[in-house]
PDB file of all heavy atoms in Angstrom:
ATOM      1  N   LEU A 495      21.972  -9.383   2.934  1.00 98.00           N
ATOM      2  CA  LEU A 495      21.098  -8.618   2.048  1.00 98.00           C
ATOM      3  C   LEU A 495      21.882  -7.940   0.938  1.00 98.00           C
ATOM      4  O   LEU A 495      23.087  -7.707   1.057  1.00 98.00           O
ATOM      5  CB  LEU A 495      20.348  -7.554   2.850  1.00 98.00           C
ATOM      6  CG  LEU A 495      19.594  -8.024   4.092  1.00 98.00           C
ATOM      7  CD1 LEU A 495      19.114  -6.835   4.901  1.00 98.00           C
ATOM      8  CD2 LEU A 495      18.419  -8.916   3.700  1.00 98.00           C
ATOM      9  N   ASP A 496      21.176  -7.585  -0.129  1.00 98.00           N
ATOM     10  CA  ASP A 496      21.760  -6.727  -1.161  1.00 98.00           C
ATOM     11  C   ASP A 496      21.688  -5.264  -0.734  1.00 98.00           C
ATOM     12  O   ASP A 496      22.573  -4.468  -1.051  1.00 98.00           O
ATOM     13  CB  ASP A 496      21.002  -6.897  -2.482  1.00 98.00           C
ATOM     14  CG  ASP A 496      21.019  -8.326  -2.981  1.00 98.00           C
ATOM     15  OD1 ASP A 496      22.124  -8.901  -3.063  1.00 98.00           O
ATOM     16  OD2 ASP A 496      19.939  -8.865  -3.272  1.00 98.00           O
ATOM     17  N   VAL A 497      20.611  -4.920  -0.030  1.00 98.00           N
ATOM     18  CA  VAL A 497      20.396  -3.554   0.437  1.00 98.00           C
ATOM     19  C   VAL A 497      19.981  -3.622   1.899  1.00 98.00           C
ATOM     20  O   VAL A 497      19.043  -4.349   2.254  1.00 98.00           O
ATOM     21  CB  VAL A 497      19.298  -2.841  -0.382  1.00 98.00           C
ATOM     22  CG1 VAL A 497      19.053  -1.432   0.162  1.00 98.00           C
ATOM     23  CG2 VAL A 497      19.681  -2.780  -1.854  1.00 98.00           C
ATOM     24  N   ALA A 498      20.672  -2.863   2.748  1.00 98.00           N
ATOM     25  CA  ALA A 498      20.344  -2.824   4.167  1.00 98.00           C
ATOM     26  C   ALA A 498      19.169  -1.878   4.365  1.00 98.00           C
ATOM     27  O   ALA A 498      19.307  -0.660   4.261  1.00 98.00           O
ATOM     28  CB  ALA A 498      21.544  -2.356   4.984  1.00 98.00           C
ATOM     29  N   GLY A 499      18.001  -2.439   4.633  1.00 98.00           N
ATOM     30  CA  GLY A 499      16.841  -1.620   4.920  1.00 98.00           C
ATOM     31  C   GLY A 499      16.872  -1.159   6.363  1.00 98.00           C
ATOM     32  O   GLY A 499      17.087  -1.965   7.271  1.00 98.00           O
ATOM     33  N   MET A 500      16.687   0.127   6.577  1.00 98.00           N
ATOM     34  CA  MET A 500      16.779   0.685   7.926  1.00 98.00           C
ATOM     35  C   MET A 500      15.541   1.499   8.243  1.00 98.00           C
ATOM     36  O   MET A 500      15.204   2.434   7.527  1.00 98.00           O
ATOM     37  CB  MET A 500      18.030   1.550   8.062  1.00 98.00           C
ATOM     38  CG  MET A 500      19.331   0.783   7.904  1.00 98.00           C
ATOM     39  SD  MET A 500      20.773   1.803   8.243  1.00 98.00           S
ATOM     40  CE  MET A 500      22.092   0.588   7.931  1.00 98.00           C
ATOM     41  N   ASN A 501      14.886   1.142   9.332  1.00 97.00           N
ATOM     42  CA  ASN A 501      13.731   1.883   9.817  1.00 97.00           C
ATOM     43  C   ASN A 501      14.170   2.865  10.889  1.00 97.00           C
ATOM     44  O   ASN A 501      14.735   2.467  11.916  1.00 97.00           O
ATOM     45  CB  ASN A 501      12.685   0.928  10.402  1.00 97.00           C
ATOM     46  CG  ASN A 501      11.931   0.174   9.346  1.00 97.00           C
ATOM     47  OD1 ASN A 501      12.297   0.169   8.180  1.00 97.00           O
ATOM     48  ND2 ASN A 501      10.852  -0.498   9.742  1.00 97.00           N
ATOM     49  N   TYR A 502      13.964   4.155  10.641  1.00 96.00           N
ATOM     50  CA  TYR A 502      14.237   5.206  11.612  1.00 96.00           C
ATOM     51  C   TYR A 502      15.685   5.155  12.106  1.00 96.00           C
ATOM     52  O   TYR A 502      15.953   5.186  13.304  1.00 96.00           O
ATOM     53  CB  TYR A 502      13.258   5.102  12.793  1.00 96.00           C
ATOM     54  CG  TYR A 502      11.832   4.954  12.362  1.00 96.00           C
ATOM     55  CD1 TYR A 502      11.122   3.776  12.588  1.00 96.00           C
ATOM     56  CD2 TYR A 502      11.184   5.989  11.695  1.00 96.00           C
ATOM     57  CE1 TYR A 502       9.809   3.649  12.178  1.00 96.00           C
ATOM     58  CE2 TYR A 502       9.865   5.860  11.278  1.00 96.00           C
ATOM     59  CZ  TYR A 502       9.187   4.686  11.512  1.00 96.00           C
ATOM     60  OH  TYR A 502       7.887   4.555  11.096  1.00 96.00           O
ATOM     61  N   ALA A 503      16.599   5.076  11.180  1.00 96.00           N
ATOM     62  CA  ALA A 503      18.012   4.938  11.549  1.00 96.00           C
ATOM     63  C   ALA A 503      18.907   5.762  10.646  1.00 96.00           C
ATOM     64  O   ALA A 503      19.997   5.329  10.266  1.00 96.00           O
ATOM     65  CB  ALA A 503      18.423   3.463  11.503  1.00 96.00           C
ATOM     66  N   GLU A 504      18.488   6.996  10.311  1.00 97.00           N
ATOM     67  CA  GLU A 504      19.308   7.817   9.422  1.00 97.00           C
ATOM     68  C   GLU A 504      20.658   8.163  10.044  1.00 97.00           C
ATOM     69  O   GLU A 504      21.593   8.554   9.337  1.00 97.00           O
ATOM     70  CB  GLU A 504      18.553   9.076   9.015  1.00 97.00           C
ATOM     71  CG  GLU A 504      18.219  10.026  10.147  1.00 97.00           C
ATOM     72  CD  GLU A 504      16.857   9.762  10.754  1.00 97.00           C
ATOM     73  OE1 GLU A 504      16.334   8.639  10.591  1.00 97.00           O
ATOM     74  OE2 GLU A 504      16.327  10.683  11.406  1.00 97.00           O
ATOM     75  N   ALA A 505      20.781   8.006  11.369  1.00 96.00           N
ATOM     76  CA  ALA A 505      22.063   8.254  12.028  1.00 96.00           C
ATOM     77  C   ALA A 505      23.133   7.265  11.577  1.00 96.00           C
ATOM     78  O   ALA A 505      24.334   7.501  11.783  1.00 96.00           O
ATOM     79  CB  ALA A 505      21.904   8.188  13.543  1.00 96.00           C
ATOM     80  N   ARG A 506      22.743   6.179  10.939  1.00 97.00           N
ATOM     81  CA  ARG A 506      23.710   5.179  10.465  1.00 97.00           C
ATOM     82  C   ARG A 506      24.216   5.483   9.057  1.00 97.00           C
ATOM     83  O   ARG A 506      25.203   4.878   8.619  1.00 97.00           O
ATOM     84  CB  ARG A 506      23.084   3.783  10.474  1.00 97.00           C
ATOM     85  CG  ARG A 506      22.761   3.204  11.829  1.00 97.00           C
ATOM     86  CD  ARG A 506      22.871   1.672  11.777  1.00 97.00           C
ATOM     87  NE  ARG A 506      24.240   1.281  11.576  1.00 97.00           N
ATOM     88  CZ  ARG A 506      25.097   0.962  12.559  1.00 97.00           C
ATOM     89  NH1 ARG A 506      24.701   1.001  13.808  1.00 97.00           N
ATOM     90  NH2 ARG A 506      26.332   0.614  12.289  1.00 97.00           N
TER      91      ARG A 506
END
Side-chain angles (χ1 to χ4, degrees):
L495 308 170
D496 301 309
V497 178
M500 296 186 181
N501 285 12
Y502 312 113
E504 64 268 21
R506 293 210 67 95

